[in-house]
């Protein structure tokens, strides 16, 4: 997946590398989980997906059961994480119910980062911002040095 592909191209492949890596991590570590996010991949198009409330579209991918239940949102990226501002706002909404953590997977470097939304929120004001070329939605730019500093 990459940001230069259309919604249809990204979702037609029916795979989500970050989700797959996260599941392997959870299972390897005997962590109980349940899928929770809105998974439409190859079943609906952008026109219908956009009809869904943005909070539901950005619902975290998993509910994980440890000492307490927490949400996990999976994001795959290459070199630099681009985190949509609207998605961050939605994660803050879900964080009111259960703490949200991000499971980030750098597909190019095959590196995993696990970071709480609380930690990410603290640095977003210092991050550069850009917009996607296809929809003009703004996103935060988080580079590898910052992710290394924030990760567990």
């Amino acid at each position: 997946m990459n940001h230069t592909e259309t919604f249809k191209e990204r979702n037609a492949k029916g795979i989500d590398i970050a989700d797959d890596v996260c599941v392997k991590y959870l299972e390897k570590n005997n962590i109980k989980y349940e899928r929770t996010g809105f998974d439409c991949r190859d079943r609906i198009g952008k026109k219908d997906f956009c009809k869904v409330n943005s909070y539901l579209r950005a619902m975290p991918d998993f509910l994980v059961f440890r000492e307490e239940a927490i949400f996990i949102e999976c994001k795959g990226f290459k070199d630099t994480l681009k985190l949509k501002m609207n998605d961050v706002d939605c994660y803050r909404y879900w964080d009111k119910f259960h703490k949200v953590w991000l499971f980030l997977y750098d597909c190019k470097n095959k590196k995993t980062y696990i970071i709480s939304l609380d930690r990410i929120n603290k640095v977003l004001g210092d991050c550069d911002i850009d917009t996607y070329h296809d929809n003009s939605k703004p996103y935060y730019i988080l580079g590898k040095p910052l992710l290394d500093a924030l990760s567990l």
Side-chain angles (χ1 to χ4, degrees), residues 116-135:
S116 71
L117 180 62
D118 289 340
R119 292 193 76 176
I120 288 176
N121 280 330
K122 290 177 184 175
V123 300
L124 289 179
D126 297 324
C127 291
D128 288 334
I129 297 171
D130 202 350
T131 56
Y132 284 105
H133 69 280
D134 61 342
N135 60 19

Side-chain angles (χ1 to χ4, degrees), residues 133-149:
H133 69 280
D134 61 342
N135 60 19
S136 299
K137 290 185 179 181
Y139 61 85
Y140 298 103
I141 301 169
L142 289 86
K144 287 190 290 189
L146 179 58
L147 295 174
D148 284 332

Side-chain angles (χ1 to χ4, degrees), residues 51-125:
K51 294 175 186 175
V52 177
N53 178 283
S54 63
Y55 290 110
L56 292 177
R57 286 195 312 256
M59 183 179 191
D61 300 302
F62 299 98
L63 191 59
V64 170
F65 303 94
R66 301 290 290 195
E67 298 80 31
E68 59 186 75
I70 61 169
F71 280 123
I72 300 288
E73 171 61 20
C74 299
K75 293 281 183 198
F77 66 97
K78 294 179 182 175
D79 285 326
T80 302
L81 176 65
K82 297 175 181 181
L83 201 53
K84 285 186 228 158
M85 289 180 149
N86 183 68
D87 286 352
V88 171
D89 289 339
C90 292
Y91 303 150
R92 289 174 179 149
Y93 169 81
W94 291 108
D95 198 61
K96 295 174 188 175
F97 301 97
H98 295 288
K99 286 296 179 189
V100 174
W101 284 70
L102 280 74
F103 185 96
L104 309 170
Y105 184 67
D106 182 342
C107 301
K108 181 178 177 184
N109 297 296
K110 304 209 181 319
K111 182 165 181 175
T112 298
Y113 303 88
I114 301 173
I115 307 171
S116 71
L117 180 62
D118 289 340
R119 292 193 76 176
I120 288 176
N121 280 330
K122 290 177 184 175
V123 300
L124 289 179

